[in-house]
């Protein structure tokens, strides 16, 4: 097996076809089935390694000869995999395969054993969460940048898997309460954070129901006034109140569990480098102890900042229970925004352009202050904003415009017409006073019109436009990400239509051939093995997994073995058709040449006959003189050349007989 696998490292199609013709695949299938069943039923070690080798050999042959007519290895492997899955022994937990690009540009399929670390912890909630963050958070500006960013995030995912291993070994069965999972865990049971959110809705619903049922719930209900722990007088509550107390206790316990889960699974401090002492202080123990304590405090601070929201929820839940303040549970409803990704997009549409929105609001405050000064000097209490008209002082006037002036137009008091009461100018004639009143009405109209245009329309539209445009932009980005996930392979960046036009199932391609997560498995597998035991492809892959630039060269870009084999089969079919047509053309050419040769020989015979006739006529013409009677009985047929030559030598015998 090792020799055959070593020969298959080159992935030569002719060599694989030769093996398929030489080896008895039925015997190989039987041996693989026996080894695999013994490995899955507890006899691990050598049997597991043996079954991996058999799977690699047969999968290589089946994959290479999948589109060759008359070859049934692929069908046999598919049927065997289906039977193993029905019996509870899926082969996906034992062997995985990826495609890598060599230095010469040739695509090669590499099989490897799925590491136990992946089999055990890959489905854990924290690992699943990290995978989803990679799928939706990786940069997709270009295929090269996407693969490079995936490599960086892949290292964090591997660290998450290893962290689950450490937590499980240290916490044992309690690991299930802080992000792990147990064999008894049911798929339909919500996670601790979802259960916390459900209890939050129940407690807030009970709060609204109590407020609606009673006239003064904050005073008359002792359950809400902090008298929950007055145990000396004895419990006086109904069974329903005891149920609410139980829900509050469960809410606090779940909040604490979610906080511990976030702290223990936080990756914020993974890449944090510790503070190193100066070279001349490296041997001083007190300095090293202080730096160690400083590094520990830094890590704790970074982790607490990473789980700040979880810390706030746990603190408010405990405070609501101890102090009997149930309205604090209303803050926990915000956790819906944190958990739902689409709601985060809405929030990000405001925060992404937060600096521009802040500057626009600051400009609005400045402009409203200028209008407040004008209103305080010339239009005190002459108009209202949303039925509010407190403009007795400059401060109250400014506050009035800030509170209600951005979206509400000016509403002039009285009959609604703009008729301001401007201060009178002493010592002027009535005519001047009348023109001053008319000018005041015009200025007030200009003031009102500019306020509506500048404040109510422009500033409000600028703020809302920034938010709406940002939301539209982010929605387009999310749609592009969703489309890229659905319609394009993450590894090779080939779209779905290309595979379907070649009659290749796109879902099978991204699941088996170019599964992005199997490259993570490969790195975990190589890290768990001794480099001296690497084979050729594994040695090459290990050198390419050192940096994101090398990893980009390892991944096949715009290429896939299934497409290449399909194109090769199509080219072989086209070549066969061309060869058949060439054979027919050659046969036709041979027939034409034969016809030409026959026609040439017939033409030669005709020309020879004509030449004979022509010579005979010439001989007759030379022998018949001018006195020859006109009546000729009959001329005999012209003699042959030999007879004419003999007759000529004899000197006698005419060619005709006169009457």
């Amino acid at each position: 097996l090792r020799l055959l696998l070593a020969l298959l490292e080159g992935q030569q199609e002719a060599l694989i076809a030769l093996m398929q013709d030489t080896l008895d695949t039925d015997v190989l299938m039987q041996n693989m089935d026996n080894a695999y069943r013994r490995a899955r039923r507890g006899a691990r070690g050598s049997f597991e390694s043996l079954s991996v080798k058999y799977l690699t050999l047969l999968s290589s042959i089946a994959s290479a000869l999948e589109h060759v007519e008359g070859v049934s290895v692929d069908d046999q492997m598919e049927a065997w995999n289906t039977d193993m899955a029905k019996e509870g022994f899926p082969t996906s937990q034992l062997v995985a395969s990826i495609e890598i690009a060599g230095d010469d540009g040739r695509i090669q399929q590499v099989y490897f054993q799925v590491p136990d670390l992946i089999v055990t912890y890959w489905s854990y909630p924290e690992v699943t969460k990290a995978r989803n963050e990679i799928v939706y958070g990786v940069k997709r500006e270009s295929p090269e940048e996407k693969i490079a960013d995936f490599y960086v995030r892949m290292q964090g995912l591997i660290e998450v898997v290893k962290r689950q291993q450490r937590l499980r070994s240290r916490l044992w069965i309690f690991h299930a309460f802080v992000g792990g999972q147990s064999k008894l865990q049911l798929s339909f049971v919500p996670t601790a954070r979802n259960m916390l959110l459900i209890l939050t809705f129940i407690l807030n619903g009970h709060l609204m129901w109590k407020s609606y049922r009673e006239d003064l719930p904050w005073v008359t209900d002792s359950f809400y006034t902090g008298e929950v722990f007055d145990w000396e007088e004895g419990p006086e509550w109904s069974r329903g109140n005891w149920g609410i107390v139980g829900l509050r206790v469960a809410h606090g316990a779940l909040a604490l569990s979610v906080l511990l889960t976030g702290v223990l699974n936080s990756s914020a401090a993974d890449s944090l480098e510790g503070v190193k002492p100066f070279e001349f202080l490296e041997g001083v123990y007190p300095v090293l102890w202080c730096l160690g304590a400083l590094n520990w405090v830094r890590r704790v601070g970074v982790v607490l900042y990473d789980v700040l929201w979880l810390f706030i929820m746990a603190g408010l839940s405990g405070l609501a229970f101890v102090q009997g303040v149930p309205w604090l549970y209303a803050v926990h409803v915000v956790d819906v925004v944190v958990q739902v990704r689409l709601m985060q997009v809405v929030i990000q549409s405001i925060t992404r352009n937060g600096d521009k929105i802040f500057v626009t609001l600051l400009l609005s405050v400045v402009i409203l202050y200028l209008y407040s000064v004008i209103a305080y000097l010339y239009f005190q209490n002459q108009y209202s904003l949303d039925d509010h008209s407190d403009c007795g002082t400059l401060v109250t006037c400014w506050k009035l415009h800030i509170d209600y002036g951005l979206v509400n137009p000016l509403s002039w008091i009285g009959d609604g017409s703009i008729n301001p009461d401007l201060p009178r100018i002493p010592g002027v004639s009535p005519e001047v006073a009348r023109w001053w009143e008319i000018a005041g009405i015009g200025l007030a109209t200009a003031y009102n019109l500019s306020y509506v245009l500048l404040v109510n329309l422009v500033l409000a539209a600028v703020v809302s436009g920034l938010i709406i445009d940002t939301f539209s932009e982010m929605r387009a980005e999310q749609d592009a990400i969703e489309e890229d996930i659905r319609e394009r392979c993450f590894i090779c960046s080939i779209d779905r239509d290309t595979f379907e036009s070649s009659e290749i199932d796109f879902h099978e391609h991204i699941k088996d051939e170019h599964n992005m997560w199997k490259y993570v498995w490969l790195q975990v597998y190589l890290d768990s093995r001794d480099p001296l035991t690497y084979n050729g492809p594994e040695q090459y892959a290990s050198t390419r997994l050192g940096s994101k630039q090398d990893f980009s060269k390892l991944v096949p870009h715009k290429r896939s073995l299934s497409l290449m084999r399909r194109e090769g089969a199509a080219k072989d079919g086209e070549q066969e058709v061309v060869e058949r047509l060439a054979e027919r053309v050659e046969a036709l050419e041979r027939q034409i040449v034969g016809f030409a040769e026959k026609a040439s020989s017939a033409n030669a015979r005709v020309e020879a006959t004509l030449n004979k006739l022509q010579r005979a006529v010439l001989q007759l013409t030379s022998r018949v003189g001018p006195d020859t009677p006109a009546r000729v009985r009959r001329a005999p047929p012209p003699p042959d050349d030999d007879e004419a030559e003999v007759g000529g030598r004899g000197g006698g015998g005419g060619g005709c007989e006169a009457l």
Side-chain angles (χ1 to χ4, degrees), residues 178-312:
V178 289
Q181 66 180 18
S182 61
K183 295 182 179 180
L184 300 178
Q185 190 169 359
L186 302 178
S187 58
F188 58 86
V189 177
T191 61
R193 192 159 184 177
N194 292 336
M195 293 179 63
L196 177 64
L197 191 59
I198 293 173
L199 290 182
T200 298
F201 288 145
I202 294 175
L203 291 173
N204 280 276
H206 179 264
L207 177 62
M208 290 187 292
W209 178 76
K210 293 284 288 185
S211 177
Y212 176 78
R213 187 175 61 88
E214 300 178 1
D215 295 332
L216 299 175
W218 307 103
V219 177
T220 59
D221 192 354
S222 61
F223 180 71
Y224 292 112
T225 56
E227 300 179 7
V228 175
F229 293 96
D230 191 6
W231 302 105
E232 296 181 357
E233 298 180 1
E236 298 179 356
W237 307 317
S238 63
R239 184 178 302 175
N241 285 338
W242 278 107
I244 295 298
V245 171
L247 291 178
R248 294 170 67 183
V249 172
H251 190 277
L254 287 174
L256 182 60
S257 174
V258 170
L259 176 60
L260 292 177
T261 301
V263 171
L264 295 176
N265 293 280
S266 176
S267 59
D270 290 344
S271 59
L272 186 65
E273 297 182 358
V275 179
K276 298 181 180 179
F278 295 104
E279 295 182 359
F280 62 91
L281 294 177
E282 289 183 355
V284 182
Y285 179 77
V287 175
L288 296 178
W289 185 88
C290 293
L291 290 178
L294 178 61
N295 292 330
W296 185 84
V297 171
R298 288 180 62 209
R299 294 179 64 88
V300 172
V302 170
V303 170
L304 290 180
Y305 179 78
D306 184 50
V307 297
L308 180 60
W309 169 244
L310 302 180
F311 187 80
I312 292 174

Side-chain angles (χ1 to χ4, degrees), residues 163 175 183 322 327 639:
R163 184 182 296 110
H175 183 216
K183 295 182 179 180
V322 174
W327 54 265

